[in-house]
Amino acid sequence: MLLKKKIKGIEGLDITIKKELVKKIIDNDFKVNMTHSVMFVSVEERKYALRDADVMELVASNIKKRLLLKRGISVKEFYKRNSTYRGYRLFDKSSRPEFQEGKLVEDKGKHGLYFTIECKDLFRILLASYFEDFGDSLAIISLISVDGKGTPVRKASISRGMDTTNTYHSRAFYIEKIYSLDNYELILKMYEAAPDNYKLLIYDETEGGMYMGSVKYYRKKGCNEIVRALNDIHQIEKKKRGFAK
């Protein structure tokens, strides 16, 4: 097998290669040396040896922080930091048949299973569904078993998500309860729990805005109660600003 050519640093690299390096780092596809002072990332037949300054330029973080994200933390440590074992996850029931109440679901990808620990994040996530395809259902998730024994998920490797300070990824979690999102009152509760900066996202009614995108997305999925709720919430936000007819 041919050894990959090792290249030190990113000085003078083509922007295309830099983009590939960024993708690899975010995907946790890298190794580090014993002292965690050098990160090794392979792109095609080349291996790049990156120092802290290189990693900072590429992903605005250092090697040790990226390594912590890759390794994650245990359920016990997560509870110590957040005082909760529970969270919320939007999902599409047609593409996630394994999401069943009482079941343990495990990640098959590189990042882990996404969830938020705050209901105030849900309205923003709902509005982002039209380009992320989050889906039509809401799961209450648990990092401990729901059989009454409360056994923590082993090797959860929980890491911070990129969206908000309340979002995380875990290698596995239990499904405690599932609700259909196509529920007018549920969407209103999500809206009411959201901070003002998230509520403002539905105000924009341009074609490229979250409001129009979400309405089209959920109408196509046949979620008429979500559409009705979003239309009413949009009018509430317009009225707040004195533009409602």
Side-chain angles (χ1 to χ4, degrees), residues 219-231:
R219 184 175 288 132
K220 187 175 181 180
K221 293 183 75 66
C223 297
N224 296 325
E225 287 300 286
I226 297 180
V227 172
R228 183 166 73 93
L230 292 178
N231 285 334

Side-chain angles (χ1 to χ4, degrees), residues 10 15 17-30 32 39 41 50-70 111 160-162:
I10 60 174
I15 187 64
I17 298 298
K18 287 184 177 181
K19 286 181 179 180
E20 287 299 315
L21 289 171
V22 169
K23 183 179 178 182
K24 291 270 186 171
I25 294 170
I26 292 176
D27 281 347
N28 296 324
D29 190 3
F30 62 83
V32 298
M39 176 188 286
V41 185
L50 311 178
R51 298 283 183 178
D52 260 345
D54 300 316
V55 178
M56 184 62 70
E57 181 180 334
L58 291 169
V59 294
S61 183
N62 61 32
I63 294 171
K64 289 184 178 179
K65 286 182 179 179
R66 292 309 312 185
L67 187 59
L68 284 173
L69 285 173
K70 181 176 181 178
H111 296 291
R160 178 64 62 81
M162 300 295 287

Side-chain angles (χ1 to χ4, degrees), residues 1-7 17 24 41-48:
M1 182 181 292
L2 294 174
L3 293 175
K4 292 185 177 181
K5 182 180 178 181
K6 187 181 290 185
I7 298 175
I17 298 298
K24 291 270 186 171
V41 185
S42 296
V43 176
E44 297 179 349
E45 295 304 315
R46 293 184 172 89
K47 180 183 285 186
Y48 296 86

Side-chain angles (χ1 to χ4, degrees), residues 197-240:
N197 57 318
Y198 290 171
K199 291 178 178 178
L200 186 60
L201 295 174
I202 202 169
Y203 175 68
D204 180 10
E205 57 186 17
T206 61
E207 282 297 318
M210 281 187 159
Y211 166 59
M212 291 299 292
S214 296
V215 166
K216 289 178 182 178
Y217 172 77
Y218 283 112
R219 184 175 288 132
K220 187 175 181 180
K221 293 183 75 66
C223 297
N224 296 325
E225 287 300 286
I226 297 180
V227 172
R228 183 166 73 93
L230 292 178
N231 285 334
D232 286 352
I233 292 168
H234 176 67
Q235 291 302 318
I236 291 171
E237 286 300 310
K238 286 183 69 175
K239 187 175 181 180
K240 279 183 183 180

Side-chain angles (χ1 to χ4, degrees), residues 7 14 35 65 72 80 88 90 92 95 116 119 146 148 162-163 171 173 179 182 187 201 209 211 214 224:
I7 298 175
D14 182 87
T35 60
K65 286 182 179 179
K80 183 191 290 187
Y88 306 89
L90 268 60
D92 194 299
S95 61
T116 178
C119 59
V146 293
M162 300 295 287
D163 295 326
R171 288 298 175 190
F173 51 60
Y179 298 94
D182 198 23
I187 304 306
L201 295 174
Y211 166 59
S214 296
N224 296 325

